[in-house]
Amino acid sequence: MSANSHGGSVAASVLVPVLNEGDAIREVVAAMRDQRLPGGSLEFILAHGPSADDTRPQLEDLAREDERIRIVENPAGDTASGLNLCLREARGTYVVRMDAHTIYPREYIFDGVRRLERGDVAWVAGPQVPEGRGPVSRAVTAALQSWIGRGGSRKWSTADVTEENNSNEEYDLDTGVFCGVWRRADLISVGGFDEEWPINQDSELAARFLRRDHRIVCLPAMAARYYPRDSLDGLWRQYRRYGLYRAKTALRHPTSLRRSAILPPVVAIDLAMALVAPGKLRRLARVGLIPYAGLVAYEAMQLARRGKPVEAGLLPVVLPTIHLAHGVGFIEGASRWGIPWRALLRVSGTYRPENDEQPYRGPVNASGLNGSAPKT
């Protein structure tokens, strides 16, 4: 079904990559259809990857139920390619990224569009608030609510969504962004999503927005809840991939790397040295791990004092899993694509890059919109 077969104007287009979501797709789409945008119409474009379950027939049923739903095929199956296919088909003045397994407030789109209409920002997002279900998932939630777990990123910061911190006030974001709302023209002008970033594409995209002096703001009212991994092996795989592409993002955009992002690779290297380095170097590395272990123990004790014994017991496993996986991934990424020296020197305070970021010409641009994407 082509975009041209639908008449009428569209205020906002919702872009949704979908892969193997048969168990949750109806609930996810129902929540999206509950979004409201007074005075404007919505369309929902779902990029279907090569699912191994019954996602595709369920999408077809949903499209028959609601003419606002359209499906495009995403043979590559990854998130960035799916988002670009949706963007090429989008007809709205505004575009919204939404992910499965995330619960968005009912006025997410309305709040984002209303803020963009003021004209002084180019990207509006909300905090990403973890909500644990199983024991490991709850411990991950606790980890991401601590400064040592979330690092310098404010996208996780539930501290910014508390009464004592004046939670209704917006704040500026750097490359730590989750989903959000854009003007379609702005997203196209920077080239869309880079398909060489199967994950961490929001951070890479944010670096391009900031490079053009576009503001990115976070509205606490747009806080979206998501469910963290509930297994240690799943958590390891997730954060290893985060670290892998964090290194690649830092290589292209030296200004995107925070000082807090250095902790995971430092912990990974220190632990490796504490295990296999010779003599005095091994002993020195073991001494270096003591402050880190103390910080983790302190966070666990704080949880125990708040009456969360399960989370307190698992945190000394979950936090090192997050940091070591991220650190190992970062080292792998540096080995694969090159060490991001300029970014590392920048966070050390010895280098201030000006105009040396790697150029990018994305797959989505004004001429690219004339191409065709696979459709239902």
Side-chain angles (χ1 to χ4, degrees), residues 234-249:
L235 187 67
W236 176 274
R237 289 193 299 271
Q238 177 188 16
Y239 275 88
R240 178 177 161 272
R241 294 187 76 207
Y242 284 165
L244 189 73
Y245 283 91
R246 172 57 63 188
K248 188 174 183 179
T249 302

Side-chain angles (χ1 to χ4, degrees), residues 87 90-95 182-188 369:
L87 180 58
R91 297 174 297 142
T93 302
Y94 302 95
V95 291
W182 307 263
R183 298 177 194 86
R184 177 173 170 270
D186 286 344
L187 188 52
I188 291 170
L369 291 177

